[in-house]
Amino acid sequence: MASGYSAKEEDGHHSGALGPAGGAAVRSRKPDNTAFKQQRLPAWQPILTAGTVLPAFFIIGLLFIPIGIGLYVTSNNIRELQIDYTGTESSSPCFACSQNYSWNMTTPCVCSVSFSLDQPFESNVFMYYGLSNFYQNHRRYVKSRDDSQLNGNLNSLKEPSKECEPYRTNDGKPIAPCGAIANSLFNDTLALYYNDPNGTETQIQLVKRGIAWWTDKHVKFRNPVGDDSNLTAIFQGTAKPVNWQKPVYELDSDPENNGFINEDLIVWMRTAALPTFRKLYRIIEKNSSTSPTLPRGNYTLKITYNYPVRSFEGRKRMILSTISWMGGKNPFLGIAYITVGSICFFLGVVLLIIHHKYGSRSSSADLTH
Amino acid sequence: MWRRRLTCLFGGEEKRVDSRTIHAGRGSSPVADAFPQQKFCDNRIVSSKYTIWNFLPKNLFEQFRRIANFYFLIIFLVQVIVDTPTSPVTSGLPLFFVITVTAIKQGYEDWLRHKADNEVNKYPVTVLEDGKRVGKESEKIKVGDVVEVLEDETFPCDLVLLQSSRDDDTCFVTTASLDGESNHKTHYTVPDTVKDVESLHATIECEQPQPDLYKFVGRMHIRRDGQETAVRSLGPENLLLKGATLKNTKKIYGVAVYTGMETKMALNYQGKSQKRSVVEKSINAFLIVYLCLLVSKAFVCTTLKYVWQNQHGQDEPWYNPKTQQERDTNLYLKMFTDFLSFMVLFNFIIPVSMYVTVEMQKFLGSFFITWDKDFFDPEVQEGALVNTSDLNEELGQVEYIFTDKTGTLTENNMEFIECCIDGFQYKNHKFLTETDGLCETDGPITITLNKAPEELEELFLRALCLCHTVQVKESQPVDEIDGVVLDQVDGFSPSPEDQCAFIASSPDEVALVKGAMTHGFTFIGSDSKSMKIRNRDNRVEVYELLHVLNFDPVRRRMSVIVKSESGEVLLFCKGADSSIFPRVRKEEVDRIRVHVERDAKEGYRTLCVAYKRLGNEDFARVDAELREARLSLHDREEKLMAVYNQVETDMILIGATAVEDRLQDRAAETMEALQGAGMKVWVLTGDKMETAKSTCYACRLFQRGTELLELTVGALGEGEGKREERLLELLLEYHKRVVHDTPPSKTGLHRTWSSPGQDYGLIVDGATLSLLLNASPDGTGSHYKNLFLKICQSCTSVLCCRMAPLQKAQIVRMVKSSKGSPITLSVGDGANDVSMILEAHVGIGIKGKEGRQAVRNSDYAIPKLKHLKKLLLVHGHLYYVRIAHLVQYFFYKNLCFILPQFLYQFYCGYSQLPLYDAAYLTMYNICFTSMPILAYSLFEQHISIDTLLDHAALYREVAKNAMLRWGPFFYWTMLGVFHGLLFFFGVYCVFSNPALLPSGQVFGNWTFGTIVFTILVFTVTIKLALDTRHWTWINHFVIWGSLAFYILFSFFWGGITWPFLEQQRLYFVFINMLSSMSAWLAIMLLIVLSLLPDVLLVALRRPRGRNTRQVLPRSPLCFPSIPHQVFQIPPVSHLHAHISSFLHASFLCISFLCPLSLFNSAVAG
């Protein structure tokens, strides 16, 4: 009898004790004497006081300052050279190229920028292109891709995702790869020449493999597989992205770097976090153990200028950089570590003083029990 | 819910007809057709809310009526309709989860109700139809059916008792499941109903159903063949309530008067008005702040977006063209949808999960109160009972305690101490040794040296034996298996000579009857017509019981009219002195008053006994009047009262009794602790001033040095006209004395505890109070009230005596609505405390002897007063700290969750790109950060239980909602902002060169978000870990488990290309992130940097923990000197507070400026 109503009583507010049993069942119920129910579980009760926290400050200080110094030194040892070749200034060698720009130019506009290295670049040198004021992280842009198509799905190849609009189809044919990201693939060609003191110009070998994440190259991006091993045949019936000069199956002569698994494409498809970004373009491998990869001297950067940035006030850079275990040059981490470490150490000292000077009353109280 | 259903069932009808006519044995009644048959509902009990068909729509509707759910539904719908940055799944999934869980829980509860309903509704009953016994299901019973009920069965509906198998036309009933009173109550058959129920022709007129269990008014017209219709009055003693159980009686027949949802039981199960806690109000206030924050964020972003887009080339660069649809949309519509999109993007700042977690915390947390074995009382065999879990934290906020005296402060375990007959004192020899000490102080009066005349003595004892409603419990037959009743036997073990025990609704009566027994007069038993007593000569006297003039709290007395064997009609009356003295001859009063006052001063409950001889004509008149009043259908109460008052006059005072009501176990200690915790204790009692005052002294509510201010009828003096003037004078005088005496201690929020000055205690009585509260309605009325309140607030304790139940509630309401709206708590055990229990913020019921009504209406019920200490000081304090921290933490963690996403908008062209992946957005509040805070809010003991119990003053630290005021809220918000800024800009600086992999490869935007998110999850969790002072294995498991789960989930989520995802955004992002040393270092740095201020604060804070002992000697100077601490979580000592706030501020500055300036220089270089 009573049970029916205890359930009703719970309505609206939870009743702790009145289980469905209710009534007489409750009467004889003695609470269990378990540690859990009595809130007496064994517990570690840390007491954080000035005394216990002080060492932490010193430890953090002592730990962070060396790390910071290490980072700072590492960062400082990284050689980095940036060349802005946007060509907005009339003095710039690429001024002409940047002015008369049109997508369907038959003869590419080439400009060269000369620079010199005061110090040699040892070990592998990484060549990046950098763009500024380019919003690769715009939501409309980020969405505009079809990962399924890029993964080699044949259905998606013929029927790309709606997200790719307005670069989904062209003249009724599906675009491969579809979407705004792929459409705006960076297509400047950068070539580097070493000007020998004797006057000859030698082109520096640029490696275009290994610039994309391994998993992207091997898992996330795949060429569609058809009856034919020939990419051209597989991409039959698709259109090239509007702004591309060549279709996707002609991106590279190397079949391992062609089609969707072209590393330039893969790198580009990884949208950058911030509007100013750099992307890995080529790697200059160290070829002999004796001579530096890029010795001191004069160089020429020859740019096939295809990529327009003037319309949105963007800028283009070429960056040469060596790499350490922490990646590219970034003084921030080292300085931040040193700063935080110093602050900790300083605070530790201050606290110690306070603790000794003013805390004697309270600390003696601490100690009495 | 219930009310609505009921009103729609028969609300309209109720207004039209205020009584109902029932034909018992309908079928055979020819008259029945003449009347338009009233329609009554069937006997089906419906406590369930839903049926299978309406469950889904109705439940959804109910759920979305909650403002929070509705908000999330709107967000979800916006996501579905508008092109928003996050998929509808991110907010739809949590909402769906919450709604489903709630629906399942409610569905299950409803299923239980259906089951219980069916059990009741399908219960087989026997009904007499056309003279035959017919088996039926309970739900088929109709009003007017004659129902047979056997022993130990419950009544299927409200019945008027027609016939009982007992010879004396009574039956015994326990109403344990109705009001918890397990004693046997006697109910009487309607007099003169024929023994042969089958041939009964009767019409019952009775009032419409009403929930009062103890009220029933009706009239029965009995028709016999060839005879005149007899009319009999029906009262509650004739009504058997549904839910009660038949005891000690083989079989009864009764006619159904109220069925189904109209039974008193069903009417009584209406929901109480829900009490809301201050924490909930704080949450709502904070919610509004965050809502404003959300809207302003969205607004800022929308504005900036359109400002930015107006710049040359930014709106639609060639690489990122708009879709056709976007171009076509109207600009203003576009702005609006953009605004909505931003709202959706930032909506996580107000988390669904907070509501879920708060609910869970309250629900699960309340179990610890029920489980607490310290609340278990071996006598009652019960622990604490939690009727609502919504108020757990309110227990930690109590400022005023209103306590009943009898049964709450005292045990309500009465012992007859002494009596006084005609001015001569008689000590109960049984307790002589105990009271010896008192005897010596008594002075001139010595025991039994002087004796009253014998006949007066015997008259007095007979009066004690007759004037009561006590029943004798029959010796149990062997087949009786009824253990429950023994509880109520009042600790009286049946003496070998008479195997009986007394059962009564009030323990005083039992004490008196037993007292009479020790003096030689034994009450043997009674039936409805007569009472038997055994006198000193061992001879049985039989008295015919003519009338019982029941006790009620307004008259404060009861009487019986009996006819002795000699044919003499006597009226015996007993009651409070104040109600008896004006009704007896003056000369007797003075002799007895001395005793009564002395007894009262010693804390005994006194009753005066008087009698009156009624002549035959007198009696005939009285009898007629009483019968007439009983038969009246309307205003029966008032009419009866008038007759009673008329009868109980010109009596002769015989003597007085003194009954001791012992203080409850550790009552004084409890009161002292509660006062030490800064609570003000008010005693509200119906008892007389002297008794109550002595109890207050005994409970140490009044100390020796306490100066008592009296606002009583005595102090005001006689004379109606002058009273008000005198009252004002007194009020002004006291006000001057109390308030002006102690001006410095009234500073700020802190109450005057341990003030070195004078302690004041105030005594008010009911009459003065009504004068105060109902004073002339012009301006002076509120002036009185204000003065009175001010005086009260400056007194350490207040005693209100001679209170009617309603006045108790009035007092509570007055304090509740006074300035600062303090949190009030009422403790009581009896039905007269229900009003104040319901009125106060928190109502506590004591599982006492006066039935279960207080317990049923309370929010929490405890067996004894002493348990109040732990309930408030430990559970209340802990729950408050837990939930306050929970709320603050929730707002904090969502602020620093969403702030980076907000900041990211500045760097992604205000395009509403979420910083975090959808999975992270969804899971953050559900999985990654919800469990640690839940565990914290269930298990945290920032101060150990023992310390809390030992140092009541610790309670003051959380007083006045200390942890949820704007100060702490501001602190937490600032912390959230600081963390959010740090997370975002820290990672931003690292990403100034996104080539963070040792292979020279670069990170994209999803890695950026993942790094921020990783820092976020770790920081927020470790921040909680830093705040945790009580690490049980559960805390360890949950905190480290959440972090491990986050890492595992990230591996898993990024490790597979999920076929159902449109974009594989996180594919190997997390693993690649971990392969970058820079990312590791950045994560570590930012976590440490974020937590540094907290650690610093901890270092500067007073040490807390299990060894905290030095809290007590805190100097009183400390608090007033820092009235507005911003970082006030737990109070910081004077010096430390300043240093810490300074350091904290400067630290914030340094940590912002350093990285930014560094970054700037780095970019420039």
Side-chain angles (χ1 to χ4, degrees), chain A residues 1 4-5 7-17 27 29-31 33 36-50 53 57 60 64 67 71 80 103 126 128 133-135 137-143 145 147 163 165-167 180 184 210-213 215 219-220 243 270-275 278 280 307-308 311-313 323-333 335-337 339-340 343-344 347 351 354 358 366 369, chain B residues 2 45 47 49 83-85 105 113 116 120 154 265 274 308 312-314 318-323 326 359 363 367-368 370-373 376 381 385-389 487 875 882 904 907-909 911-913 939 941 946 986 988-990 992-1005 1008 1029-1032 1062-1064 1067-1068 1072 1077-1078 1081 1084-1085 1088-1089 1092 1095-1096 1098-1100 1103-1104 1106-1107 1110 1135 1139 1147 1150 1154-1155 1158:
Chain A
M1 267 315 287
Y5 294 94
K8 200 189 319 177
E9 241 175 6
E10 281 182 7
D11 181 24
H13 41 255
H14 318 281
S15 146
R27 298 203 112 244
R29 194 155 75 197
K30 182 170 179 167
N33 189 10
F36 175 73
K37 289 188 173 181
Q38 299 307 320
Q39 305 195 61
R40 303 235 180 234
L41 282 176
W44 171 55
Q45 293 167 317
I47 308 166
L48 295 178
T49 59
V53 168
F57 278 94
I60 292 174
F64 273 28
I67 294 177
L71 277 167
E80 191 181 275
W103 278 114
F126 293 74
Y128 299 88
N133 207 19
F134 189 102
Y135 284 85
N137 56 4
H138 196 281
R139 184 159 68 95
R140 201 193 310 133
Y141 187 80
V142 169
K143 278 200 304 182
R145 63 192 285 163
D147 276 355
E163 301 287 353
E165 289 292 359
Y167 297 110
S184 58
I211 56 174
W213 292 11
T215 47
V219 186
K220 196 172 168 183
N243 287 353
R270 182 154 294 281
T271 48
L274 299 167
R278 61 174 75 174
L280 188 53
Y307 208 70
S311 63
F312 54 88
E313 284 164 355
I323 285 295
S324 71
W325 54 269
M326 61 171 283
K329 196 181 184 76
N330 193 347
F332 166 74
L333 267 181
I335 294 170
Y337 261 93
T339 316
V340 173
I343 289 174
C344 277
L347 283 177
L351 280 178
I354 291 174
Y358 303 98
D366 288 347
H369 44 261
Chain B
W2 265 88
I45 283 280
S47 59
K49 271 186 183 175
D83 165 51
T84 53
K105 180 180 156 262
R113 276 184 225 125
V120 175
T154 46
M265 182 189 189
Q274 201 137 6
W308 179 77
H312 169 71
Q314 302 303 341
W318 65 264
Y319 56 86
N320 188 14
K322 290 177 179 174
T323 55
E326 261 178 292
E359 286 282 307
F363 176 65
F367 280 105
F368 284 118
T370 3
W371 284 337
D372 197 322
K373 72 171 163 48
F376 182 77
Q381 282 292 310
L385 177 75
V386 179
N387 286 329
T388 170
S389 55
D487 293 356
H875 288 281
R882 288 167 183 173
Y904 192 55
Y907 298 94
C908 71
S911 61
Q912 299 129 18
L913 183 74
F939 305 116
Q941 292 170 26
D946 298 325
Y988 177 88
C989 291
V990 171
S992 61
N993 180 354
L996 292 169
L997 283 167
S999 58
Q1001 292 160 351
V1002 295
F1003 282 149
N1005 65 319
F1008 186 96
R1029 290 283 164 279
H1030 190 79
W1031 287 79
T1032 62
E1062 202 147 276
Q1063 295 194 11
Q1064 310 294 336
Y1067 185 69
F1068 262 73
N1072 262 311
M1077 203 53 204
S1078 292
L1081 288 171
M1084 263 161 32
L1085 173 81
V1088 168
L1089 192 55
L1092 215 53
V1095 178
L1096 194 63
V1098 163
L1100 293 170
R1104 323 291 318 265
R1106 77 195 136 198
N1107 292 335
Q1110 70 274 37
L1135 169 79
I1139 296 169
F1147 189 77
I1150 291 168
C1154 279
L1158 283 175

